[in-house]
Amino acid sequence: MVRRCTTDRRGRWSTTVRWEDRAIAGWAVVRRTWHVSDPRSPRLPAAEPARRLLVTRGLAVLALAVTAAYLAWRATSTLNLAAWYLALPMLLLEVHAAVGLGLFAFSLWDVDARPAMRPPDPRLSVAVLIPTYNESREVLLPTVAAAVALEPAHETWVLDDGARPWVREMAAAVGARYVARVTHEHAKAGNINHALEIVDADLFGILDADHVAHPDFLLRTLGYFRDAKVAVVQTPQEFYNVTSFEHGSGRTFGERFHEQTLFYRLLEPGKNRWNAAFWCGTNAVVRATALRAVGGCATETITEDIHTTIRFHRRGWRSVYHNEVLARGLAADDAAQYQLQRNRWGTGAMQVLKIENPLVVPGLRLTQRLAYAATLLGWFDAWRTLGLLILPPAVLLTGAIPIVADGATFALFFGATYALQQLALFRLGRGAYRPILSILFELVRMTPNLRATLTLVLPRVPRFVVTPKGRTADARGRMHAPAPLTAILALSFVAAVVYALALLGVVPITYRSSWAAIGAFGWLAINEGLVWLAIGRVRSLRFAGERRAGVRFAVDVPGSVDGTTAGVQDVSVGGALLATREALVARDRHLVSFELAAGIVSLWATIRSTRQAASGELHYAFEFDADQDVATADLTRAIFQGEYPVAAIEPVSMPEVLRTDLVELSRRARRRGLARPAAPRGARPVLRSGGA
């Protein structure tokens, strides 16, 4: 083995490790060179400075101490037991929030803990498994093409539960092996277990059908398996469709911010400290012997990943979370996909609590139980959200006041506690916690999470439903708002009207404490605004159903069409947009070439539309012909490895969303005013009652 350390111009260093396997194949000597970057690679988050970590932990402890004192005061001095039906639920909601803060601090106490990286063990054989069911060619081909090209030497297996002939042909064309089961029980878990019986490898790299691996995916993860007790190494889930429903504006940890950033870049890494990081289904490498030791992937639940990890940990295996983006997939494009996905995950979590509850099953340490509790109990936050939405209208509609305390005193105690809690959450979130956007997503997923948690007590057998990927709609239309959010918005409006009428003496409701009623009204107004924003995000045309089969990437490189020079505007798996100065000669098929960093790639294509830009250039939209899997694989590898930006509108910031929504409301009001017929000059308004 030869080891060489080098330093680049910026002072970063890397290690090159070379193994020479002199296994003679005929007269050839087989040599494999693996380049293993150092743990200080810029793709890994920098370790948190000690002083900043001390401040973050200090704020968390202070917030928890103040919260405990506040709750003690609330329980002993402020409960209005005459309105116990409001007072006790409100206190329980506050206690639940405090427990959540405690688990959040526990989870994020140390996000930099992980074993030292080591070079891969060349004696361990590797196979990459890609389970698939109904994904389109545009989704599946980039994943398979990238997996086949990974180093070190390995086999790539496409596990097709859809038994589709074109998938078999595509896999063979790009160099992957193919298998389809005769039966399809237990969905993805059963598919992997079937592969476990026929694929001979020590380690399994597992990628979902839409997750395209970085060239270093295996090289950066295999070294952890030199520890014979490591069962699974998980890496973050990141997404390349950056204008999806889940994405926001700005960047965090060098990536476009999305709703799952906090979990994958902070909460999961934080579990390394307690040996409690769990397998998330994709972008992971699993040891085959560990998987066989626990009976394969768990099939009793629809979240086989976390369930299987619990079994690993119960039997003494270790897990590692490597906090570096090494694969990118497709996030939920619209609210329907997002809610379907969250309902499946939440339902699976409830199944885990019923079948193999990590809070009580033997074989786990206390810290591991707490780490699992932080994840599994988080699904019940939906009930707290619902309670916090219902309490203000309940106070205004009934006149019952849940709190008995001086208004100024309560405002001081509550305000100080809440401010400290939010400051602690913000610091613990290390830039990945965005209060307003977090609340909006909490509201959107409230409905599926409520349904999911109800399965804990309802006798219903959940069914594994694959989240749709790629083209999901033929026309662009608005999504329906979740019925509970619409109902709460209507209830809040009615409560606000009733409160106004009560102040005018029109309705016979009296409030024992005017400050409490004012506080409830202010709370209700804030809730209404947030619910309105959440509904607006769900129904926004920016997040309508995806009509394109593949994501388009802005690839500003030279190209040609039938030898004529052209500029490449964007490229997807299924086609491209090119610009020329002169009109192309009409033909049934054209040879389109792209001069990419990885080399020139050419495909046959058909023109689907043409338009002339303001500059005078002619823009041609091409659709690639079928049965060009090898060339398309080369193209997709070049695009994804080049990390070109997505050719789409950038995500809009929250202030811009608010401004746009307010402008739209103003326009609607003006339109309605213009549409109203004008009364004749000099005419007096006629007041009518009863019939016509």
Side-chain angles (χ1 to χ4, degrees):
M1 182 179 76
V2 180
R3 182 183 182 98
R4 184 177 71 237
C5 297
T6 58
T7 306
D8 66 10
R9 294 179 181 177
R10 297 184 181 181
R12 296 192 302 263
W13 62 278
S14 63
T15 302
T16 299
V17 182
R18 186 180 71 208
W19 286 269
E20 294 189 2
D21 298 335
R22 295 186 175 272
I24 305 298
W27 292 98
V29 177
V30 181
R31 289 185 175 88
R32 293 181 296 183
T33 302
W34 298 344
H35 300 276
V36 184
S37 300
D38 186 69
R40 287 176 286 185
S41 161
R43 292 203 302 264
L44 278 166
E48 189 170 15
R51 182 175 298 179
R52 184 181 299 172
L53 180 61
L54 182 63
V55 171
T56 299
R57 290 176 174 176
L59 273 174
V61 172
L62 178 61
L64 288 170
V66 171
T67 298
Y70 166 78
L71 290 175
W73 173 71
R74 282 277 288 113
T76 58
S77 307
T78 67
L79 291 183
N80 180 16
L81 295 180
W84 61 267
Y85 47 88
L86 294 180
L88 293 180
M90 183 174 178
L91 179 63
L92 288 175
L93 293 174
E94 292 182 293
V95 170
H96 185 274
V99 172
L101 176 61
L103 291 173
F104 195 69
F106 170 80
S107 300
L108 298 177
W109 194 254
D110 181 2
V111 298
D112 295 321
R114 64 175 176 269
M117 289 185 63
R118 301 167 68 185
D121 185 344
R123 296 168 298 180
L124 297 177
S125 58
V126 185
V128 176
L129 308 181
I130 304 173
T132 178
Y133 173 60
N134 61 358
E135 292 79 11
S136 66
R137 183 187 298 269
E138 290 79 7
V139 170
L140 184 58
L141 178 57
T143 300
V144 179
V148 168
L150 293 174
E151 294 182 1
H154 66 283
E155 287 185 334
T156 297
W157 287 76
V158 179
L159 316 179
D160 183 19
D161 254 2
R164 294 159 292 176
W166 70 263
V167 176
R168 179 190 294 273
E169 295 169 3
M170 180 267 290
V174 301
R177 301 191 67 176
Y178 175 91
V179 63
R181 294 190 290 166
V182 177
T183 59
H184 308 292
E185 66 278 357
H186 306 308
K188 178 181 173 181
N191 203 357
I192 294 175
N193 287 341
H194 179 254
L196 190 62
E197 299 173 359
I198 62 176
V199 179
D200 183 18
D202 298 311
L203 303 173
F204 291 146
I206 299 180
L207 297 165
D208 277 354
D210 62 304
H211 277 73
V212 182
H214 188 277
D216 289 345
F217 171 67
L218 293 177
L219 297 179
R220 300 284 290 169
T221 54
L222 295 182
Y224 292 108
F225 289 95
R226 283 185 173 267
D227 180 347
K229 295 302 293 180
V230 169
V232 58
V233 175
Q234 178 66 52
T235 68
Q237 286 192 31
E238 194 55 59
F239 309 101
Y240 59 87
N241 55 334
V242 296
T243 54
S244 78
F245 181 80
E246 296 189 47
H247 281 84
S249 59
R251 303 181 74 85
T252 307
F253 298 104
E255 303 288 341
R256 179 67 63 186
F257 177 83
H258 55 86
E259 187 260 351
Q260 300 183 66
T261 296
L262 178 64
F263 176 78
Y264 283 113
R265 304 315 300 272
L266 289 171
L267 290 171
E268 268 279 68
K271 296 178 188 293
N272 268 336
R273 180 182 177 90
W274 319 111
N275 185 29
F278 59 83
W279 178 21
C280 298
T282 184
N283 307 356
V285 182
V286 182
R287 190 186 296 272
T289 53
L291 203 51
R292 292 188 179 99
V294 297
C297 291
T299 58
E300 299 88 344
T301 64
I302 58 175
T303 47
E304 73 290 331
D305 40 20
I306 187 172
H307 192 177
T308 304
T309 314
I310 292 171
R311 292 179 174 174
F312 285 152
H313 288 147
R314 290 185 64 193
R315 288 157 180 79
W317 292 95
R318 298 187 63 243
S319 63
V320 175
Y321 192 83
H322 180 76
N323 193 15
E324 177 182 8
V325 175
L326 294 172
R328 286 179 170 82
L330 291 171
D333 264 313
D334 55 48
Q337 290 182 32
Y338 177 81
Q339 292 178 88
L340 174 67
Q341 194 177 62
R342 295 315 185 273
N343 180 255
R344 185 179 75 242
W345 294 350
T347 301
M350 297 307 103
Q351 289 179 294
V352 169
L353 288 175
K354 286 196 291 188
I355 295 170
E356 198 154 0
N357 191 332
L359 304 181
V360 297
V361 293
L364 297 177
R365 299 195 300 270
L366 175 61
T367 50
Q368 289 176 317
R369 297 184 195 279
L370 289 174
Y372 278 114
T375 297
L376 296 175
L377 299 183
W379 295 100
F380 295 95
D381 289 353
W383 292 98
R384 184 181 73 210
T385 303
L386 180 63
L388 293 174
L389 291 172
I390 290 177
L391 265 173
V395 169
L396 297 178
L397 290 173
T398 64
I401 303 298
I403 299 171
V404 178
D406 174 69
T409 303
F410 180 83
L412 176 63
F413 283 12
F414 172 79
T417 303
Y418 184 77
L420 267 176
Q421 289 174 342
Q422 290 301 309
L423 183 58
L425 289 170
F426 185 78
R427 287 303 298 259
L428 286 166
R430 295 165 171 86
Y433 173 71
R434 300 191 178 184
I436 301 299
L437 198 58
S438 295
I439 293 173
L440 296 189
F441 279 113
E442 197 171 307
L443 291 170
V444 174
R445 65 176 176 261
M446 181 185 72
T447 302
N449 287 4
L450 290 175
R451 292 202 309 266
T453 54
L454 286 174
T455 62
L456 188 63
V457 294
L458 296 178
R460 183 173 69 86
V461 178
R463 186 171 61 91
F464 188 97
V465 180
V466 178
T467 305
K469 299 289 173 63
R471 181 184 287 122
T472 59
D474 295 324
R476 199 163 183 80
R478 298 183 187 275
M479 296 288 164
H480 295 294
L485 289 186
T486 304
I488 286 168
L489 195 63
L491 176 65
S492 298
F493 177 76
V494 171
V497 171
V498 168
Y499 176 62
L501 294 176
L503 292 180
L504 296 173
V506 177
V507 296
I509 297 179
T510 57
Y511 301 99
R512 179 177 175 180
S513 171
S514 59
W515 71 261
I518 293 172
F521 179 76
W523 182 2
L524 178 141
I526 293 172
N527 284 351
E528 275 194 293
L530 292 170
V531 171
W532 174 61
L533 287 175
I535 291 176
R537 188 177 184 89
V538 170
R539 289 183 51 76
S540 172
L541 286 176
R542 291 189 298 130
F543 309 117
E546 181 56 59
R547 295 174 298 166
R548 294 187 178 93
V551 175
R552 295 179 300 121
F553 294 90
V555 182
D556 186 13
V557 298
S560 65
V561 181
D562 302 326
T564 300
T565 301
V568 183
Q569 305 291 307
D570 64 59
V571 178
S572 72
V573 181
L577 181 68
L578 285 86
T580 64
R581 288 292 182 185
E582 304 294 333
L584 297 175
V585 177
R587 292 187 177 128
D588 292 336
R589 303 169 71 210
H590 298 266
L591 185 63
V592 181
S593 299
F594 308 91
E595 298 180 23
L596 300 167
I600 298 177
V601 179
S602 300
L603 293 100
W604 290 102
T606 304
I607 295 175
R608 290 305 178 199
S609 65
T610 307
R611 68 179 179 85
Q612 188 167 23
S615 62
E617 289 182 332
L618 293 169
H619 287 187
Y620 292 92
F622 288 92
E623 181 181 355
F624 299 140
D625 294 353
D627 301 325
Q628 301 182 95
D629 289 329
V630 175
T632 307
D634 291 339
L635 178 64
T636 59
R637 276 194 290 262
I639 292 173
F640 280 93
Q641 290 178 18
E643 297 185 0
Y644 293 101
V646 170
I649 300 171
E650 289 291 319
V652 182
S653 65
M654 184 57 63
E656 182 63 20
V657 170
L658 291 172
R659 189 192 69 79
T660 303
D661 287 345
L662 290 174
V663 169
E664 180 62 22
L665 283 176
S666 176
R667 286 176 179 169
R668 290 180 185 177
R670 288 200 302 270
R671 286 172 186 167
R672 290 175 182 173
L674 291 173
R676 186 176 298 121
R681 183 174 297 179
R684 295 183 179 180
V686 178
L687 300 179
R688 290 178 178 163
S689 61

